[in-house]
Amino acid sequence: MVDFMITVDENLCKGCNICTEFCPRKVYQESGILNKKGVHVPVPENEDKCTQCQLCVMMCPDQAIKVDEKVDEKDDK
Amino acid sequence: MVENRENRFMKYLRKDRLPHIFCAGCGNGIIMNTFFNGMELAEVDFDQVVMVSGIGCSSRIPGYVKCDSLHTTHGRPISFATGIKLANPENEVVVFTGDGDAAAIGGNHLIHGARRNINITVICINNNIYGMTGGQISPTSPQGSYGSTAPYGALERPFNLSEMVKAAGATYVARWTTAQPVQLSNAIKKALKNKGFSFIEVISQCPTYFGRKNRMRSPIEMLKWMKEESIVKRRADKLSAKELEGKIIVGEFQNKEEPEFSDKVCQLLEAQCTTGKPSSTRSAYEGD
Ligand SMILES: Cc1ncc(C[n+]2csc(CCOP(=O)(O)OP(=O)(O)O)c2C)c(N)n1
Ligand code: SF4
Ligand code: SF4
Ligand code: SF4
Ligand SMILES: [Mg+2]
């Protein structure tokens, strides 16, 4: 288990799959099911591969993603 | 206590207005992220930020942000921004404008803002098309690209906005695409720190109109196109026009220091208050 979390806010996500495509570690997987808004919200299936690089957070046009920051970076502040 | 799982930029946004109206995968949302990131990197005081925009999809960005903002008329955000800056030079004035807004109807305001070197930052969201009104060709649409007003492909040559604004006198100019959010954030940081007219041209995706009419139906295809065709300026400077055909030249186009406009106005006012007349200039009517 990893000690951080990745969450996708399904009220904000529009299912563009930019995160699925551009995550360098292929953490997200396209979802097969529609949510109640009619959106395929990607699933962070391979969370253990995530390097917490935050690229998906910068590229999500809908501010739907949170990936916890690296703990050591937090300590610097 | 429930852990806060909000995105890191949510603190700057008017949550009650989200999700925003932009189409799925539209570049406008990425540009919002990079602006907030650049603003944090430049250590700008968010309370001093005033966002100004014209009309267009991209011009709706300020409406989602929790700061003072002004949604103005088509093509005129730089004029309003000039007024805001001169009324209170403490304000960090940032213009969000589309390619249609900035380069078509507002082209004159753009070049004169640059000529004055007034200390504002203009972020031009160049999606190569009029998004809001249904995909008409804009002054930056590539030659041969399709739009609802160019069913046989655009006949005219597009403006090279960054070169144009540089020539007009801007002191910081950079171009990046939404596929390079890290470089873009850094350029925005430098633009905010520059004391003068800063221009950031962001090549962005409008999958709904530009993409659909130009065989790139999804935002992913458009982002891949931008990533693949980008070439950094340093390398591009060594290539011929023929070799650069279809390429997107990215990087810094200008970065220099020059006297700034609101400073000059302040100095003039200061001189007038202390000596009764501006000392730096001789009135043309003196001796009348
Ligand atoms: C004076 C005036 N003329 C025309 C329009 C119609 N109009 C609204 S937005 C727009 C173009 C928007 O294109 P752009 O600035 O590139 O923004 P985008 O939607 O692509 O982000 C036009 C022509 C208007 N609102 N006002
Ligand atoms: S933080 Fe980086 S590695 Fe982790 S999911 Fe996002 S893009 Fe992938
Ligand atoms: S990039 Fe954002 S909006 Fe697009 S699918 Fe991923 S989480 Fe959803
Ligand atoms: S029409 Fe184009 S520019 Fe406007 S919101 Fe949709 S994708 Fe974005
Ligand atoms: Mg446009």
Side-chain angles (χ1 to χ4, degrees):
Chain A
M1 263 307 282
V2 287
D3 59 353
F4 63 93
M5 255 201 332
I6 301 177
T7 44
V8 181
D9 186 333
E10 66 165 318
N11 291 314
L12 294 177
C13 173
K14 292 180 187 148
C16 67
N17 277 304
I18 288 176
C19 54
T20 320
E21 179 67 32
F22 291 96
C23 163
R25 306 303 300 258
K26 294 278 163 265
V27 166
Y28 299 95
Q29 227 153 58
E30 236 174 280
S31 161
I33 40 170
L34 288 176
N35 73 357
K36 57 179 184 298
K37 293 181 107 181
V39 172
H40 292 274
V41 180
V43 193
E45 197 72 52
N46 306 313
E47 211 171 31
D48 53 320
K49 288 200 189 140
C50 172
T51 57
Q52 293 164 282
C53 72
Q54 305 289 330
L55 184 68
C56 56
V57 175
M58 287 300 294
M59 287 192 81
C60 169
D62 285 277
Q63 293 79 34
I65 302 178
K66 180 173 175 80
V67 177
D68 286 326
E69 307 262 341
K70 274 192 181 141
V71 177
D72 52 20
E73 275 176 8
K74 255 188 205 157
D75 287 346
D76 287 345
K77 284 185 188 144
Chain B
M1 201 188 96
V2 184
E3 203 200 341
N4 179 9
R5 293 305 306 166
E6 267 176 14
N7 173 279
R8 62 177 270 223
F9 302 122
M10 205 49 78
K11 58 177 181 278
Y12 303 121
L13 294 167
R14 297 187 195 275
K15 267 191 272 181
D16 54 319
R17 299 196 188 166
L18 300 178
H20 40 58
I21 56 148
F22 308 137
C23 308
C26 171
N28 288 338
I30 303 179
I31 292 159
M32 292 168 76
N33 296 339
T34 55
F35 173 71
F36 298 136
N37 197 30
M39 185 183 82
E40 288 175 0
L41 291 169
E43 296 178 357
V44 166
D45 179 4
F46 184 58
D47 284 339
Q48 295 291 340
V49 174
V50 182
M51 285 189 172
V52 189
S53 64
I55 301 292
C57 296
S58 44
S59 287
R60 297 192 66 127
I61 290 175
Y64 296 107
V65 185
K66 245 192 242 166
C67 64
D68 289 333
S69 62
L70 200 61
H71 192 185
T72 73
T73 51
H74 196 26
R76 272 64 185 173
I78 292 172
S79 318
F80 286 89
T82 300
I84 295 167
K85 187 70 188 176
L86 292 181
N88 184 1
E90 294 293 296
N91 285 334
E92 189 69 66
V93 183
V94 187
V95 171
F96 286 78
T97 176
D99 46 318
D101 200 62
I105 190 168
N108 237 327
H109 300 291
L110 177 63
I111 54 176
H112 290 286
R115 181 174 66 85
R116 283 194 181 118
N117 195 33
I118 181 159
N119 186 11
I120 61 174
T121 297
V122 176
I123 299 181
C124 179
I125 296 93
N126 181 1
N127 55 10
N128 302 303
I129 206 145
Y130 291 180
M132 178 169 265
T133 45
Q136 294 83 359
I137 285 301
S138 90
T140 60
S141 300
Q143 203 165 5
S145 67
Y146 297 95
S148 56
T149 49
Y152 310 109
L155 298 174
E156 298 149 332
R157 291 169 299 170
F159 269 142
N160 184 335
L161 279 189
S162 289
E163 290 289 6
M164 182 177 97
V165 177
K166 174 186 172 179
T171 44
Y172 186 84
V173 180
R175 178 195 289 133
W176 292 100
T177 79
T178 46
Q180 295 124 356
V182 176
Q183 294 92 324
L184 177 57
S185 304
N186 278 318
I188 292 174
K189 169 194 158 185
K190 287 189 177 177
L192 289 169
K193 287 191 145 196
N194 174 46
K195 204 168 163 27
F197 193 90
S198 303
F199 184 73
I200 302 282
E201 180 182 0
V202 192
I203 310 299
S204 179
Q205 72 272 23
C206 168
T208 303
Y209 290 109
F210 190 83
R212 195 158 48 88
K213 289 181 188 293
N214 291 282
R215 294 182 210 91
M216 292 180 282
R217 286 189 165 266
S218 72
I220 294 171
E221 278 173 273
M222 292 206 70
L223 282 161
K224 282 186 174 166
W225 158 66
M226 291 191 266
K227 214 170 160 175
E228 277 157 26
E229 296 305 328
S230 286
I231 174 165
V232 287
K233 194 166 182 311
R234 251 175 300 112
R235 274 187 58 212
D237 286 342
K238 297 188 188 106
L239 300 175
S240 67
K242 182 114 189 81
E243 289 169 303
L244 288 171
E245 229 169 80
K247 294 280 179 216
I248 303 167
I249 302 171
V250 294
E252 236 169 56
F253 286 71
Q254 183 64 282
N255 189 358
K256 64 170 181 183
E257 275 179 42
E258 295 254 324
E260 190 272 330
F261 188 69
S262 65
D263 264 359
K264 290 189 204 169
V265 173
C266 286
Q267 282 158 13
L268 209 60
L269 288 173
E270 203 181 290
Q272 187 163 33
C273 290
T274 46
T275 65
K277 63 176 181 181
S279 59
S280 56
T281 50
R282 231 175 54 97
S283 166
Y285 306 105
E286 224 166 286
D288 272 6

